[in-house]
Amino acid sequence: MPLDLLLCSVMFLLACGSLLVGYPVAFTLPGISVIFAGLGYAFGIFDMSIIGGVPQRIYGTMTNVVMMAVPLFVFMGVMLERSQIAEDLLESMGQLMGRIKGGLGISVTIVGALLAASTGIVGATVVIMGLMALPTMLNKGYSPAVATGGIAAAGTLGQIIPPSIVLVLLGDQLSSAWQASQLAQGNFAPTPLSVGDLFAGALIPGLGLVLLYILYQVLVAVFFPKACPPTVDSNEKIDLKPVLAAFLPPIILVVAVLGSILGGIATPTEAAALGAVGAILMAGYKNDKDNPMPVVVAGGAIFLLLLLGGLFDLRMGREEIPVMDYIAFAVSIPTLLAMVWGLFVSFMRVYRNRVIHEVVQMTAKTSSMIFIIMVGAALFTLIFLGFNGDYYITEFLTNLPGGRLGAFVLVMLVMFALGFFLDFIQIVFVVVPIVAPVLFLMDINPIWLGVMMAMNLQTSFLTPPFGYALFYLRGVAPEDRVKTTDIYKGVMPFILIQVLALVILYNFEGLVTWLPELIFGTGL
């Protein structure tokens, strides 16, 4: 075995092993990288000048416009979580659907999908649903397996339903790998891959997965009615006003964020800023429902500003400016002031209740963790490539039996297995930059690959005995009423559903690529 192959193999295995036993990612990746760079230099097979590219990588991370969306999406998710908006959603949906068998389980799935689209944070969604929905489901006679399985599966929808932090990080890494693979093939003007492409590609699979979950729960209600009885008296009247009050704000927020991206009005980073502002307004409304006027005014102003920005060119530095653009610009100034006023009032409401303090702290912690892992992973990838790791990975995957299918299945199995032990952030930053360029050389669509990877990681979050979502749920489930085996039993059907979804997406690639091509004209 060549010495460089031995060193890069041991480096990769040692990094994974160190992470498995609990060493901090921020120190493990750069520490192991530096050690093996020194070993390679001592044996005369590594060029130390490669490390000179690290500052450039770090600077590139700092100035990456796409990655600026990460703290904004994290802020949006944490703000919605800390504002207890999910409680209103679950309570309202439970009242609406609870009169039918399996209705509360279906409610959990729908609310999980809305929270996924609003927060994109798996752990937060599982914990919220486990704390609020699980006791009610158990008290009303739900089977522990049915209740916990539905909650764990709904909580993982944040992996695949946009706007998802997973898709933002995957989009950044896959974009770099896509550009590199195209340059290697002699294409010096490749079609760029954007996070918006992944958002559009994941929308239909994400919604389809929600429908499959609901279909399964309907079948359980039909064939095993005692496992999911009604939770609300069928004679009880439904008040639609609180239901609409709970559902409309998050739906409007999701439509505004996704619609601005898919409609070409805003970039993902700008849409993330819109989502953060919308989350502040929702939290402001939640903290003072008796005085909704500032929130309504700000929300209307944002809608009008988006409309003006989409219909008119508001830049004033041009040589020739049409009259209508002048009028639109004049209208936008008081509209902007109205938006700032409503946002300020909402912010002060959140500030007085000390919600903003927790949100900012959690956003800073999560964002700094992501970016420090990015820096360590950049160093790790550079040194891995310095040992010709990309060459050996390419040789290995291209010579596998089955060709394109064999290489794809192996990569997916490795990512699935790593998902038992490692966080998705670590997998995205360590594994994807190594294997993605090779898969792209095999004529694999990058949008389709990104969505398949996201759904694959989502499945590993659920798989016993190490799935992250299971640990989250086990931590909040009452030990005297829910056994660990109940959780494992409950998630198995949802794992099979996700595997079925992966098979469907593999055989019908158009389910992923059709919407990006329709909206952006992306023919990758």
Side-chain angles (χ1 to χ4, degrees):
M1 176 184 293
L3 185 57
D4 55 352
L5 173 59
L6 177 63
L7 285 178
C8 67
S9 301
V10 174
M11 182 176 75
F12 183 81
L13 293 175
L14 185 60
C16 291
S18 300
L19 295 176
L20 293 181
V21 298
Y23 282 101
V25 187
F27 303 114
T28 299
L29 292 179
I32 290 177
S33 302
V34 171
I35 291 172
F36 276 84
L39 287 175
Y41 180 74
F43 286 114
I45 59 171
F46 183 81
D47 184 2
M48 275 294 184
S49 63
I50 293 176
I51 299 181
V54 174
Q56 186 177 356
R57 287 284 185 100
I58 296 175
Y59 181 76
T61 300
M62 294 168 58
T63 57
N64 189 335
V65 177
V66 173
M67 295 308 297
M68 292 178 187
V70 172
L72 293 170
F73 277 131
V74 172
F75 179 91
M76 180 178 75
V78 178
M79 177 63 78
L80 294 177
E81 175 197 346
R82 291 292 189 268
S83 302
Q84 300 178 332
I85 291 170
E87 292 183 11
D88 291 346
L89 280 172
L90 269 176
E91 184 178 347
S92 302
M93 197 67 191
Q95 290 294 322
L96 184 64
M97 300 285 293
R99 61 189 59 238
I100 63 174
K101 295 174 183 178
L104 189 53
I106 296 173
S107 301
V108 165
T109 300
I110 295 174
V111 172
L114 278 175
L115 289 177
S118 303
T119 67
I121 303 173
V122 171
T125 307
V126 173
V127 170
I128 291 171
M129 310 269 273
L131 288 172
M132 291 188 298
L134 185 57
T136 303
M137 297 174 82
L138 295 176
N139 291 335
K140 297 296 184 180
Y142 265 68
S143 160
V146 172
T148 55
I151 290 173
T156 61
L157 289 170
Q159 293 278 99
I160 189 66
I161 295 181
S164 161
I165 295 175
V166 179
L167 294 175
V168 173
L169 300 179
L170 265 174
D172 177 69
Q173 296 299 309
L174 289 175
S175 176
S176 301
W178 171 249
Q179 296 283 343
S181 68
Q182 292 301 293
L183 291 174
Q185 296 180 73
N187 181 5
F188 297 103
T191 303
L193 172 68
S194 69
V195 174
D197 293 325
L198 282 186
F199 280 4
L203 190 58
I204 293 177
L207 295 178
L209 193 60
V210 173
L211 292 177
L212 288 175
Y213 283 179
I214 293 175
L215 177 61
Y216 163 72
Q217 289 168 327
V218 169
L219 292 176
V220 170
V222 171
F223 293 104
F224 305 97
K226 292 183 179 180
C228 48
T231 57
V232 176
D233 187 355
S234 59
N235 296 321
E236 184 177 333
K237 291 185 178 180
I238 299 176
D239 186 2
L240 290 178
K241 186 176 179 181
V243 175
L244 292 176
F247 263 83
L248 280 180
I251 289 176
I252 292 173
L253 179 63
V254 171
V255 170
V257 173
L258 272 183
S260 61
I261 296 173
L262 302 182
I265 300 174
T267 66
T269 304
E270 294 165 346
L274 174 64
V277 169
I280 294 175
L281 294 177
M282 287 174 60
Y285 170 76
K286 180 76 166 55
N287 281 275
D288 190 0
K289 293 183 178 180
D290 295 330
N291 184 21
M293 185 55 64
V295 177
V296 173
V297 170
I302 291 173
F303 175 78
L304 183 56
L305 286 171
L306 287 174
L307 191 63
L308 291 173
L311 296 177
F312 303 97
D313 189 345
L314 302 181
R315 296 172 300 167
M316 290 291 105
R318 295 172 290 160
E319 293 182 1
E320 295 183 7
I321 303 175
V323 176
M324 291 304 299
D325 286 356
Y326 267 121
I327 296 174
F329 181 79
V331 172
S332 68
I333 293 176
T335 305
L336 179 63
L337 293 175
M339 187 271 289
V340 171
W341 170 72
L343 181 62
F344 177 76
V345 173
S346 300
F347 181 85
M348 292 308 298
R349 291 177 182 177
V350 177
Y351 179 81
R352 282 192 292 268
N353 290 326
R354 298 195 64 80
V355 174
I356 193 66
H357 302 72
E358 298 179 25
V359 173
V360 170
Q361 289 178 2
M362 183 61 67
T363 302
K365 289 179 181 178
T366 305
S367 301
S368 60
M369 176 196 69
I370 291 174
F371 283 102
I372 196 66
I373 291 175
M374 283 186 68
V375 171
L379 177 59
F380 183 88
T381 304
L382 271 177
I383 294 176
F384 185 86
L385 298 180
F387 285 121
N388 298 314
D390 54 339
Y391 168 77
Y392 292 116
I393 291 289
T394 303
E395 286 292 305
F396 176 70
L397 291 178
T398 53
N399 290 320
L400 280 175
R404 175 181 184 267
L405 175 61
F408 172 76
V409 170
L410 178 63
V411 169
M412 296 293 280
L413 288 175
V414 169
M415 293 183 68
F416 181 79
L418 290 175
F420 293 163
F421 312 104
L422 305 181
D423 189 75
F424 73 88
I425 299 172
Q426 301 162 21
I427 297 174
V428 168
F429 288 146
V430 175
V431 179
V432 172
I434 295 173
V435 300
V438 184
L439 295 178
F440 291 152
L441 292 174
M442 297 180 177
D443 196 27
I444 289 181
N445 186 287
I447 302 174
W448 177 79
L449 179 63
V451 173
M452 293 290 283
M453 284 180 168
M455 189 168 288
N456 183 26
L457 289 174
Q458 179 187 354
T459 307
S460 67
F461 261 64
L462 281 179
T463 306
F466 303 111
Y468 270 61
L470 309 183
F471 288 123
Y472 293 139
L473 187 56
R474 176 69 278 176
V476 297
E479 295 185 8
D480 57 330
R481 303 181 67 183
V482 177
K483 300 177 183 177
T484 302
T485 52
D486 290 329
I487 300 177
Y488 291 172
K489 181 180 176 182
V491 298
M492 291 308 295
F494 292 98
I495 294 171
L496 294 177
I497 290 172
Q498 290 187 322
V499 172
L500 173 63
L502 283 169
V503 173
I504 292 173
L505 293 180
Y506 182 84
N507 288 282
F508 299 95
E509 191 174 307
L511 291 173
V512 175
T513 59
W514 173 76
L515 194 57
E517 290 177 2
L518 178 67
I519 296 175
F520 302 115
T522 305
L524 297 173

